[in-house]
């Protein structure tokens, strides 16, 4: 309950600060609030608190809450320039904070109405934030496209929830799971249709292939800070929500007839997402678009891990998200600084970056190497744990295809790294960054390295 | 067949035909008027499902307020002329085929599914206001309160998008 009140209170506080003319105070308050939220969640680990029977703060929920709070904290520090616009500052803050409430609901719901509310509270502020660069036509296009397709996906989600309710007669995920074991008054067909429709809605939100067509345009059109937000926090929300549904409900129906076809659909989606995301990313020259496609590929890896439903699925999912989001935020951070300097987003802006600012080049390299899955960075172990689960379940072919696809990933990540280190800069002016930014960049890079060196320590800390 | 089944068929027919006309008609004002008919037909369905309060709210909010807003916007932007640009037929055909396939597969799946009477449906007073209020403020207290965040963020967003930027 405290976490929910804290997050929504911060959003309302940002609005009130506009009225009482205290805009300068919002930023420190938000940073402090997020730190407090991490502390509260860490303190609550193991409490298993139930909020009106609608939310349950079990360890998985708290772990996801800690994860998105940490990432949001880094994001707020990264996107400081986004909040320098005096006229809209409190709107930006409150919209971002409200969407964090949505992520919180998605990572802790036990009732399908909270699932729907979580998806909507997460999405609606992000539709608006995607269009927050009001004078830019591409930003308008991004917002409109995202809104229309997102509304469509929400329709599928609702239809799916209704079908599940019609089949079971309850919205509580514990009761839906219980009726799988004691199938009195259960309509198997309706449950199957409902779960598949919900899968499609989540595949849209996670930008999984073949529901990904909105993602590149929206990611490219939105302001770069918001793109970083969408490819990290929004993805955490969608994946946490789906994880809860899959582990809590779908996996319980494993002995039913429809489950094998459901798993087949799911594996096809996961595999297509990995392959298509990485293959198309290799042909991109705009770095923002490249990162958009690479984030599609990473989503595929995560849902492949969820599909395996191993005993440690909560940790592998969580760890992959942590490694991916930290690396992604780092690359976007450098991209924002570099593209602001040169007013372009092509790979060529990274040419010779090491001569212009070695810290930026180093940070970018750490982020890209982690996403490519090079040991000993976090991204390597994230992929390694998931592939281990896949091989453990006997899906050898899937593991091989996933490894091949991530090798394509190595190719396009190295294109940027080679541009930074081996090519001559187009512009020779050095890029100046503040010492605080420098320090934080090095800190986050070290964090990425640390979680790669000691994953078992992270495991013991949270799980 | 029972009388309620006849009413159901009639209402469904009206709803589907007017929804089709809403999409197919080229004049935006006519489309809005068809939308009103669709809403009334759906309100009739709510009545058949014992959801009296929902039916009334549906008519007041959608057929009343939202419709006036739509008409107002159409009149204000002067869209009441037939200015829809002619689009290519291939996307239309593709969309119709895709939607038709979805309809076909969903009906095929639902057809033959054993549908059980849900516990809530046995209570004929389920849609009355006092029952609704009790459920809303007891069992569904948290979603009810949380939805205020949803509406607040939608409002903030609407103000933000329409606000003039000061430079």
């Amino acid at each position: 309950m405290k976490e929910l009140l804290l997050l929504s209170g911060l959003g309302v506080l940002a609005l009130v600060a506009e009225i009482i003319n205290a805009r300068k105070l919002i930023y420190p308050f938000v940073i402090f609030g997020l730190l407090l939220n991490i502390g509260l969640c860490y303190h609550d680990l193991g409490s298993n608190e139930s909020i009106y029977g609608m939310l349950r703060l079990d360890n998985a929920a708290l772990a996801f809450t800690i994860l998105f709070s940490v990432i949001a904290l880094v994001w707020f520090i990264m996107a400081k320039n986004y909040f320098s616009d005096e006229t809209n500052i409190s709107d930006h803050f409150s919209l971002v904070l409200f969407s964090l409430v949505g992520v919180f609901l998605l990572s802790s719901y036990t009732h399908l109405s909270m699932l729907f509310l979580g998806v909507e509270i997460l999405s609606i502020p992000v539709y608006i934030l995607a269009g927050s660069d009001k004078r830019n036509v591409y930003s308008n296009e991004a917002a409109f496209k995202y809104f229309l397709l997102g509304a469509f996906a929400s329709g599928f989600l609702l239809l799916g929830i209704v079908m599940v309710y019609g089949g079971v007669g309850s919205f509580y995920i514990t009761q839906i799971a219980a009726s799988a074991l004691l199938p009195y008054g259960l309509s198997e067909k309706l449950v199957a249709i409902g779960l598949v429709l919900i899968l499609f809605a989540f595949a849209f939100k996670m930008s999984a292939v073949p529901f990904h067509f909105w993602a590149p345009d929206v990611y490219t059109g939105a302001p770069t800070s918001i793109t970083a937000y969408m490819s990290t926090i929004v993805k955490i929300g969608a994946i946490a929500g789906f994880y809860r549904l899959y582990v809590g409900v779908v996996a319980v129906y494993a002995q039913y007839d429809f489950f094998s076809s459901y798993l087949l659909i799911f594996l096809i989606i996961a595999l297509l997402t990995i392959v298509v995301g990485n293959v198309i990313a290799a042909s991109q020259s705009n770095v923002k678009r490249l990162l958009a496609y690479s984030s599609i590929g990473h989503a595929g890896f995560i849902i492949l891990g969820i599909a395996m439903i191993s005993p440690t699925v909560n940790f592998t999912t969580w760890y992959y998200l942590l490694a991916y989001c930290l690396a992604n935020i780092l690359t976007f951070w450098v991209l924002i600084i570099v593209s602001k300097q040169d007013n372009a987003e092509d790979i060529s802006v990274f040419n010779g970056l090491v001569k212009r600012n070695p810290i930026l080049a180093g940070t970018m390299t750490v982020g890209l190497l982690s996403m490519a899955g090079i040991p000993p960075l976090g991204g390597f172990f994230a992929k390694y744990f998931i592939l281990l689960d896949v091989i453990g379940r006997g899906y050898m072919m899937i593991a091989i295809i996933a490894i091949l696809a991530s090798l394509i990933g190595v190719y396009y990540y190295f294109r940027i790294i080679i541009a930074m280190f081996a090519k001559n800069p187009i512009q020779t002016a050095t890029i100046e960054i503040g010492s605080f930014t420098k320090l934080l960049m090095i800190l986050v890079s070290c964090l990425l390295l640390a979680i790669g060196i000691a994953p078992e320590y992270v495991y013991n800390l949270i799980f | 067949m029972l009388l309620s089944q006849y009413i159901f068929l009639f209402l469904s027919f009206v709803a589907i035909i007017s929804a089709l006309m809403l999409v197919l008609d080229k004049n935006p004002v006519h489309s809005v008027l068809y939308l009103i008919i669709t809403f009334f037909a759906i309100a009739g369905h709510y009545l058949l499902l014992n959801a009296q309060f929902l039916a009334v709210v549906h008519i007041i909010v959608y057929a009343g307020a939202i419709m006036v807003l739509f008409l107002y916007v159409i009149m204000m932007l002067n869209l009441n002329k037939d200015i829809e640009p002619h689009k290519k037929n291939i996307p239309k055909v593709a969309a119709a085929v895709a939607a038709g396939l979805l309809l076909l597969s969903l009906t095929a799946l639902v057809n033959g599914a054993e549908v059980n009477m849900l516990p809530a449906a046995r209570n004929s007073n389920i849609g009355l206001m006092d029952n609704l209020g009790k459920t809303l403020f007891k069992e569904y207290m948290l979603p009810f309160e949380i939805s205020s965040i949803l509406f607040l963020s939608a409002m903030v967003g609407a103000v933000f998008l329409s606000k003039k930027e000061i430079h």
Side-chain angles (χ1 to χ4, degrees), chain A residues 326-396:
Chain A
L326 282 179
N328 209 29
I329 290 254
L330 274 183
T331 49
F332 270 108
W333 201 342
V334 177
L335 176 65
I336 287 172
I337 293 171
V338 173
S339 65
K340 197 181 168 203
Q341 186 91 2
D342 295 357
N343 230 343
E345 284 158 358
D346 250 34
I347 288 190
S348 58
V349 299
F350 284 97
N351 281 359
L353 187 65
V354 69
K355 286 172 197 145
R356 302 175 68 191
N357 190 325
I359 302 272
L360 283 182
T363 315
M364 188 79 179
T365 311
V366 170
L368 290 173
L369 286 180
S370 174
M371 287 209 277
I374 307 291
L377 290 155
F380 167 74
F381 286 100
K383 280 200 172 76
Y384 173 75
F385 290 143
I386 284 176
L387 287 171
L388 219 56
D389 285 347
V390 175
I391 294 167
R393 284 284 299 270
Y395 294 109
M396 211 56 205

Side-chain angles (χ1 to χ4, degrees), chain A residues 54 87 91 134 172 185 187, chain B residues 114 116 139-140 149 157 160 163:
Chain A
M54 295 276 170
T87 41
D91 307 349
K134 282 186 272 182
Y172 290 95
S187 173
Chain B
E114 70 282 24
N116 306 296
E139 199 189 346
Y140 287 90
I149 291 182
F160 163 59
K163 198 157 69 178

Side-chain angles (χ1 to χ4, degrees), chain A residues 101 171 193 267 272 279 307 340 349 409 414 428:
Chain A
V101 177
F171 286 120
I193 303 168
L267 286 178
L272 270 180
V279 168
K340 197 181 168 203
V349 299
F414 267 87
T428 45

Side-chain angles (χ1 to χ4, degrees), chain B residues 29-141:
Chain B
V29 177
H30 289 181
S31 288
V32 170
L33 294 175
Y34 281 119
L35 188 57
I36 298 179
I37 301 177
T38 317
F39 281 150
F40 270 96
I42 291 171
H45 278 301
Y46 285 145
L47 280 179
L48 283 182
L49 291 169
N50 271 328
Q52 299 90 338
F53 179 70
L54 199 57
V56 174
V57 169
H58 192 258
I59 288 178
I60 293 174
V61 174
Y62 283 91
I66 303 274
M67 269 313 103
V68 173
L69 210 66
F70 269 146
L71 279 175
Y72 188 70
V73 170
I74 287 171
M75 302 287 182
M76 201 167 71
L77 298 180
N78 206 12
L79 292 173
N80 51 349
K81 273 175 257 120
D82 179 10
I83 49 163
E84 182 104 344
H86 189 70
K87 293 194 196 81
K88 279 188 189 140
N89 275 328
I90 297 170
K92 280 186 196 167
V93 173
V97 169
L101 280 177
L102 179 68
L103 177 72
L104 197 70
S105 52
L106 273 183
T107 35
L109 279 165
V110 176
N111 184 25
E114 70 282 24
V115 179
N116 306 296
M117 188 84 162
L118 298 172
R122 295 196 192 103
N123 181 359
S124 63
N125 291 331
I126 188 82
L128 291 179
M129 252 172 95
D130 56 343
N131 278 324
L132 202 66
K134 273 176 199 151
T135 325
L136 212 53
F137 285 100
K138 275 182 182 162
E139 199 189 346
Y140 287 90
M141 176 48 192

Side-chain angles (χ1 to χ4, degrees), chain A residues 244-283:
Chain A
R244 239 178 140 68
L245 188 81
Y246 193 81
V247 174
V249 175
V250 183
V252 187
Y253 281 83
Q255 80 274 27
Y256 281 76
D257 291 339
F258 71 83
F259 183 76
S260 56
S261 20
Y262 184 95
L263 190 65
L264 185 68
I265 297 173
F266 192 30
L267 286 178
I268 290 173
I269 288 179
L271 213 52
L272 270 180
T273 310
I274 298 174
V275 173
V276 172
N278 279 311
V279 168
I280 302 183
S283 63

